[in-house]
Amino acid sequence: MTRRKKIYEGKAKILYEGPEPGTLIQYFKDDTTAFDATKKAVLEGKGVINNRISEYVMTRLNSIGVQNHFIKRLNLREQLIREVEIIPLEVVCRNIAAGSLSTRLGLPEGQALPRSIIEFFLKDDKLHDPMVTEEHITAFNWASTQEIDDIMALTLRVNDFLTGMFGAVGITLVDFKIEFGRIWENDFGRVILADEISPDSCRLWDSVTNEKLDKDRFRRDLGDVIESYTEVARRLGIMKEMPTVIQGGLH
């Protein structure tokens, strides 16, 4: 079997050439990083869980009209996606103070925000993903004013949907990071959701205990990272389709 051509490798995923033009294969790694990759580990099974959770979320978003790059899951670690021209921004939507927002503004972690806040960060590891404004985005032509409007509207729709979806299973959506890309139809470019949605990219707290069920468990050395990711999958009702090897050691 010929080895597929690698297109890009990030911290948590690898993109390979897809079977048809305009497609890619997204492979979920077990590698975990934090603090600009200064902290690293391999967490066995993480890629399998994130692949499944992201498939579940993207499929449901597609069904409510939030178009995204997901086509289908191929196996435990891979999914077929549409190739997009990635917009070099990380879009963070915050409902509750946590992470860098707490640090920057001196807000206690867990304080509810007056409304959902959307922030933009430039995708650049060497610069530590600096926060940018709409002025920067349009001045440097990373995205147009119309694209920013579309991104913000889609982000709020994703936030509404995820808040309800997680809330229904006893999980509070604190914040999340998403990315967007352009797809071109003739000369017309349209913005769609890309990347992944998983406990790697969302802050998820148990609604009763506020126990963290996300990547902060790794960042803060809280332990039980895989167990917490698995608990998210279990509550969403997708554990029955997970391999027994993952379920096995986590009771």
Side-chain angles (χ1 to χ4, degrees), residues 146-163:
Q146 180 60 57
E147 286 174 332
I148 293 171
D149 288 347
D150 291 345
I151 285 169
M152 292 184 76
L154 284 166
T155 300
L156 289 173
R157 286 193 68 193
V158 171
N159 186 44
D160 285 346
F161 178 79
L162 293 183
T163 298

Side-chain angles (χ1 to χ4, degrees), residues 7 11-12 16 41 53 62 89 98-99 118 126 140 149 151 182-183 185 189 203 205 218 225 231 235-236 247:
I7 305 294
K11 296 189 284 278
Y16 294 102
I53 291 175
N62 249 328
L89 298 170
I118 296 174
K126 293 193 292 295
F140 295 111
D149 288 347
I151 285 169
R182 297 180 189 94
I183 52 171
E185 285 144 1
R203 277 194 176 89
W205 295 355
F218 174 70
V225 183
E231 176 63 12
R235 291 198 198 182
L236 290 173
Q247 293 182 43

Side-chain angles (χ1 to χ4, degrees), residues 29-228:
K29 302 194 288 186
D30 286 342
D31 299 32
T32 303
T33 66
F35 312 119
D36 294 317
T38 54
K39 181 175 184 177
K40 299 178 185 176
V42 175
L43 300 173
E44 192 175 343
K46 183 193 74 128
V48 174
I49 300 168
N50 282 354
N51 181 25
R52 188 65 189 86
I53 291 175
S54 197
E55 173 204 12
Y56 178 78
V57 176
M58 291 293 195
T59 302
R60 294 193 64 186
L61 285 170
N62 249 328
S63 72
I64 63 157
V66 177
Q67 195 178 9
N68 57 68
H69 72 170
F70 179 82
I71 299 172
K72 65 178 179 179
R73 180 164 58 94
L74 298 173
N75 52 48
L76 288 178
R77 292 187 178 273
E78 295 178 329
Q79 48 186 237
L80 185 67
I81 59 171
R82 294 175 73 169
E83 185 173 15
V84 301
E85 179 187 315
I86 282 287
I87 294 169
L89 298 170
E90 294 185 344
V91 183
V92 175
C93 184
R94 304 181 183 275
N95 301 309
I96 293 168
S100 67
L101 185 73
S102 289
T103 307
R104 266 185 283 130
L105 302 183
L107 300 172
E109 183 176 83
Q111 178 179 313
L113 301 175
R115 60 178 173 82
S116 300
I117 293 173
I118 296 174
E119 296 177 334
F120 297 101
F121 298 84
L122 179 64
K123 272 175 63 71
D124 191 320
D125 287 343
K126 293 193 292 295
L127 299 175
H128 311 297
D129 301 327
M131 190 173 175
V132 293
T133 67
E134 291 183 44
E135 277 290 291
H136 297 114
I137 295 167
T138 53
F140 295 111
N141 205 27
W142 297 324
S144 67
T145 304
Q146 180 60 57
E147 286 174 332
I148 293 171
D149 288 347
D150 291 345
I151 285 169
M152 292 184 76
L154 284 166
T155 300
L156 289 173
R157 286 193 68 193
V158 171
N159 186 44
D160 285 346
F161 178 79
L162 293 183
T163 298
M165 183 189 80
F166 285 121
V169 295
I171 296 174
T172 300
L173 178 66
V174 174
D175 57 36
F176 62 92
K177 171 191 76 72
I178 49 179
E179 296 180 21
F180 292 88
R182 297 180 189 94
I183 52 171
W184 294 92
E185 285 144 1
N186 300 319
D187 291 335
F188 177 69
R190 191 149 40 89
V191 170
I192 67 168
L193 182 63
D195 197 40
E196 69 175 302
I197 295 178
S198 73
D200 265 10
S201 60
C202 304
R203 277 194 176 89
L204 304 169
W205 295 355
D206 181 275
S207 299
V208 176
T209 65
N210 282 343
E211 182 186 3
K212 294 172 174 59
L213 302 171
D214 55 67
K215 193 174 169 181
D216 272 348
R217 299 201 70 85
F218 174 70
R219 293 186 188 100
R220 301 185 186 190
D221 295 317
L222 298 174
D224 292 340
V225 183
I226 294 299
E227 287 83 348
S228 297

